[in-house]
Amino acid sequence: QVQLVESGGGVVQPGGSLRLSCAASGFTFSSHGMHWVRQAPGKGLEWVTYINFNGRDKFYADSVKGRFTISRDRSKSTVFLQMNSLRPDDTALYYCARDFNWAYDYWGRGTLVTVSS
Amino acid sequence: QSVLTQPASVSGSPGQSITISCTGTSSDVGGYNHVSWYQQYPGKAPRLMIYEVNNRPSGVSNRFFGSKSGNTASLTVSGLQADDEADYYCSSYTGTSPGWLFGGGTRVTVL
């Protein structure tokens, strides 16, 4: 069965960096684009970034452009999210999701990122 | 990137039908058929309910129906049941600064 497992979250000071990972299994990883979606505590969903199946196309929300970088490692079936210059409003549960026909059909359980001094 | 507009809350009695709207622009909802809907229970990950405006993934009840007219997409839930009580989000691809948008979410209450 399809599984997505996020890791790498934690508490970081403003201006700091974190690298999130999403380990995928149960499907042909190299055939699907992947997304990161976040949800601040008590708030709605916010799309963060997307990488296509071969890693050549990457899109970012304006709120993270220039600070976050998405990448993927086919050999490890893993997607990464490098987050730099973190701000308090980046505090959220970060979900990894699989792309399916321009939608997100499988989601992980999320990893919590807290930006606080 | 702006958020798609959804009503904050919608309610209905068991057995009734409810409709949740999702309003965007010609650059997102109106310009593409890449509209999807998600159900989220508290403390849980979202679940895909509708993709490409009106397609249901395997396992989703046919009580859930998606549609679109102009810049507004809609999710209709018929035969409302207690376990339909959840938050619902729409999402659309946008050609502006290419990417995706979410609606602000709608809390569905079953009276």
Side-chain angles (χ1 to χ4, degrees):
Chain A
Q1 71 281 21
V2 174
Q3 276 199 313
L4 300 171
V5 180
E6 302 94 337
S7 60
V11 180
V12 61
Q13 291 189 338
S17 299
L18 273 180
R19 188 194 196 205
L20 306 184
S21 299
C22 170
S25 61
F27 66 100
T28 305
F29 180 71
S30 59
S31 295
H32 286 267
M34 299 293 294
H35 300 263
W36 286 95
V37 175
R38 68 185 181 183
Q39 187 168 33
K43 301 297 184 182
L45 301 171
E46 179 187 14
W47 174 79
V48 176
T49 182
Y50 164 82
I51 187 167
N52 78 332
F53 71 99
N54 61 13
R56 290 178 184 170
D57 292 332
K58 303 173 185 180
F59 301 148
Y60 297 92
D62 289 344
S63 58
V64 307
K65 205 170 289 184
R67 301 187 299 123
F68 290 11
T69 302
I70 190 171
S71 61
R72 62 191 296 159
D73 185 329
R74 178 178 177 173
S75 67
K76 297 179 180 178
S77 293
T78 300
V79 181
F80 301 99
L81 182 63
Q82 178 65 44
M83 304 187 296
N84 298 330
S85 302
L86 283 161
R87 310 186 302 219
D89 62 356
D90 293 317
T91 294
L93 185 63
Y94 283 73
Y95 291 106
C96 167
R98 189 180 81 165
D99 185 83
F100 172 74
N101 285 10
W102 310 87
Y104 331 93
D105 64 342
Y106 285 93
W107 299 64
R109 292 186 176 184
T111 186
L112 183 62
V113 172
T114 302
V115 184
S116 174
S117 54
Chain B
Q1 286 141 331
S2 57
V3 173
L4 305 175
T5 300
Q6 295 182 234
S9 63
V10 171
S11 62
S13 300
Q16 287 187 330
S17 293
I18 60 163
T19 296
I20 303 169
S21 61
C22 171
T23 301
T25 70
S26 58
S27 296
D28 39 72
V29 174
Y32 306 90
N33 285 328
H34 305 321
V35 178
S36 53
W37 290 90
Y38 303 84
Q39 177 190 63
Q40 187 180 35
Y41 294 116
K44 301 294 186 182
R47 176 193 180 194
L48 176 64
M49 305 301 284
I50 296 288
Y51 66 95
E52 293 288 84
V53 175
N54 56 12
N55 292 275
R56 278 185 304 275
S58 172
V60 173
S61 169
N62 59 9
R63 297 185 300 105
F64 291 84
F65 176 78
S67 61
K68 190 183 85 166
S69 177
N71 296 336
T72 298
S74 298
L75 175 70
T76 298
V77 185
S78 60
L80 204 60
Q81 299 177 358
D83 64 358
D84 295 330
E85 188 163 288
D87 293 326
Y88 291 82
Y89 295 89
C90 64
S91 179
S92 173
Y93 175 78
T94 172
T96 304
S97 182
W100 280 258
L101 299 172
F102 274 103
T106 298
R107 173 68 54 87
V108 169
T109 302
V110 181
L111 301 171

